[in-house]
């Protein structure tokens, strides 16, 4: 997708990556999102938090229209990514998902080699024969270095990715997005399958990546939201209750529902 200059009505100096206006979403007759209006800033980490079933995953998945794979979804309202309405008739879903990549709760590498996982997206977006081996090798080394997997996998790139540890698999799932140069990376509870050490290392990696990519992450872990994100959005029953800097939201919440949630009184 190309960037548009009529990007946002954000204050000067604040560039907006994802903007929604009056977004409603239904699965069949069931309404999961109500009147969602938000601006997600470019180049920061924003966490979506809130009790189970409040619509975090649904909202996250609407940013690259991957929701449409999960049943009878109807959406009204507006979503723009870098100034481009993602429901415009000229939007290619494949280009949108290249530009807005996604990491899921359970690491889901393809049952092929580590090397082929990293270049899979790149190859599928390039005309056949368009990328030669040395070029692909360069992408693999670069992407694996970005996620700190290069040293541990460089001698076994032809091994099946499914043989890696869960932490390594999740890092690989992040790595395979990077050669596509996404504008935004969506992460749905990216650490929930990992142990404490894995969580710490993947959080650190996410912090590093935000220098180059806008990250929107769903998390149930309040400690993680506090440690890893710059801004937080608290959702409840399909609505945005509060969107603020992480510090404000945790230490000076404006809404009673936010305060009750972060105090652990529900959810
Ligand atoms: N494919 C679907 N078809 C019908 N209803 C769905 C579908 N996916 C989600 N829902 C419903 O939409 C609401 C929001 O679900 P969603 O998965 O977005 O919540 P969530 O905040 O991510 O929850 P959790 O924290 O448990 O992951 C829930 O009531 C859920 O049952
Ligand atoms: Mg969810």
């Amino acid at each position: 997708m190309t960037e548009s200059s009529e990007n946002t009505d954000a204050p000067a100096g604040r560039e907006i990556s994802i903007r929604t206006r009056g977004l409603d979403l239904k699965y069949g007759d069931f309404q999961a999102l109500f009147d969602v209006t938000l601006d997600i800033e470019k180049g920061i980490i924003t966490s979506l938090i809130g009790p189970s079933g409040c619509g975090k995953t649904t909202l996250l998945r609407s940013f690259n229209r991957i929701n449409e794979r999960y049943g009878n979804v109807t959406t009204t309202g507006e979503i723009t990514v870098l100034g481009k309405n993602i429901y415009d008739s000229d939007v290619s879903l494949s280009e949108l998902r290249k530009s807005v990549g996604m990491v899921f709760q359970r690491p889901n590498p393809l049952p092929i080699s580590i090397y082929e996982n990293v270049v899979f997206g790149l190859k599928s977006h390039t005309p056949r024969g368009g990328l030669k081996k040395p070029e692909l090798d360069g992408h693999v080394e670069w992407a694996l270095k970005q996620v700190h997997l290069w040293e541990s996998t460089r001698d076994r790139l032809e091994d099946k990715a499914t043989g890696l540890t869960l932490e390594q698999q999740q890092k690989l799932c992040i790595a395979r997005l990077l050669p596509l140069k996404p504008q935004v990376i969506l992460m749905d509870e990216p650490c929930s399958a990992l142990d404490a050490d894995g969580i710490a290392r993947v959080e650190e990696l996410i912090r590093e990546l935000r220098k180059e990519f806008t990250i929107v992450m769903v998390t149930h872990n309040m400690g993680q939201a506090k440690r890893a994100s710059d801004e937080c959005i608290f959702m409840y029953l399909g609505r945005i209750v509060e969107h603020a800097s992480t510090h404000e939201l945790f230490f000076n919440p404006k809404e009673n529902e936010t305060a009750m949630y972060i105090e652990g009184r529900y959810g």
Side-chain angles (χ1 to χ4, degrees), residues 39-56:
D39 289 329
I40 293 181
E41 196 172 332
K42 189 172 173 184
I44 67 167
I45 302 176
T46 301
S47 284
L48 300 179
I49 61 171
S52 190
C54 71
K56 303 178 296 296

Side-chain angles (χ1 to χ4, degrees), residues 10-11 36 40 65 67 80 90 135 140 143 165 206 237 248 267:
V36 172
I40 293 181
R65 293 182 51 187
N67 265 333
T80 59
D90 63 346
E135 221 174 325
V140 170
T165 66
I206 293 170
L237 298 175
E248 276 288 299

Side-chain angles (χ1 to χ4, degrees), residues 64 96-103 177 182 184-187:
N64 65 357
L96 173 64
R97 289 172 192 157
K98 178 177 159 195
S99 167
V100 184
M102 184 135 194
V103 177
L177 301 176
V184 179
I185 302 179
L186 308 174
M187 301 186 173

Side-chain angles (χ1 to χ4, degrees), residues 8-261:
T8 69
D9 38 19
R14 214 180 144 231
E15 214 176 329
I16 299 304
S17 212
I18 299 174
R19 174 185 196 270
T20 73
R21 292 293 178 268
L23 175 68
D24 290 332
L25 184 144
K26 284 184 179 174
Y27 294 107
D29 292 333
F30 174 75
Q31 186 159 354
L33 297 178
F34 296 82
D35 195 20
V36 172
T37 288
L38 52 78
D39 289 329
I40 293 181
E41 196 172 332
K42 189 172 173 184
I44 67 167
I45 302 176
T46 301
S47 284
L48 300 179
I49 61 171
S52 190
C54 71
K56 303 178 296 296
T57 295
T58 300
L59 179 60
L60 193 76
R61 284 180 182 158
S62 59
F63 297 147
N64 65 357
R65 293 182 51 187
I66 212 163
N67 265 333
E68 294 167 20
R69 285 191 191 161
Y70 298 86
N72 173 19
V73 172
T74 46
T75 307
T76 53
E78 194 182 292
I79 307 177
T80 59
V81 176
L82 293 165
K84 174 76 180 160
N85 187 333
I86 64 170
Y87 289 101
D88 279 352
S89 56
D90 63 346
V91 166
S92 135
L93 283 185
S94 133
E95 282 300 309
L96 173 64
R97 289 172 192 157
K98 178 177 159 195
S99 167
V100 184
M102 184 135 194
V103 177
F104 297 85
Q105 236 169 315
R106 296 281 316 170
N108 59 347
L110 295 164
I112 51 180
S113 70
I114 297 168
Y115 184 101
E116 288 300 330
N117 263 275
V118 179
V119 295
F120 186 84
L122 200 57
K123 279 184 173 176
S124 61
H125 280 93
T126 312
R128 195 168 268 281
L131 286 165
K132 301 281 176 266
K133 176 93 169 60
E135 221 174 325
L136 292 172
D137 290 353
H139 281 290
V140 170
E141 180 173 344
W142 174 79
L144 291 175
K145 279 183 173 164
Q146 295 292 304
V147 302
H148 310 300
L149 268 189
W150 177 245
E151 289 308 323
S152 58
T153 60
R154 61 185 298 174
D155 297 327
R156 52 181 178 132
L157 293 173
E158 295 312 319
D159 288 4
K160 277 244 173 95
T162 42
L164 295 169
T165 66
L166 283 176
E167 177 188 335
Q168 289 173 322
Q169 289 185 27
Q170 196 61 310
K171 288 178 172 173
L172 180 65
C173 290
I174 297 172
R176 69 181 172 183
L177 301 176
L178 305 184
L180 298 170
K181 299 273 182 262
Q183 305 284 351
V184 179
I185 302 179
L186 308 174
M187 301 186 173
D188 195 352
E189 303 194 43
C191 299
S192 63
L194 310 182
D195 62 19
D197 289 344
I199 292 173
R201 286 189 290 261
V202 172
E203 267 178 24
E204 197 183 316
L205 169 62
I206 293 170
R207 296 291 302 168
E208 289 168 19
L209 291 173
R210 95 176 198 305
K211 290 171 202 143
E212 282 186 67
F213 307 97
T214 301
I215 295 173
V216 189
M217 171 172 77
V218 169
T219 179
H220 262 121
N221 178 331
M222 292 302 98
Q224 179 166 75
K226 266 193 220 167
R227 284 188 301 270
S229 42
D230 303 295
E231 293 199 355
C232 286
I233 296 174
F234 172 62
M235 296 181 69
Y236 189 53
L237 298 175
R239 296 175 192 276
I240 304 290
V241 175
E242 190 162 350
H243 178 183
S245 74
T246 301
H247 189 271
E248 276 288 299
L249 193 122
F250 279 98
F251 297 102
N252 188 20
K254 299 275 177 294
E255 303 295 333
N256 197 29
E257 285 157 325
T258 316
M260 283 170 60
Y261 181 69

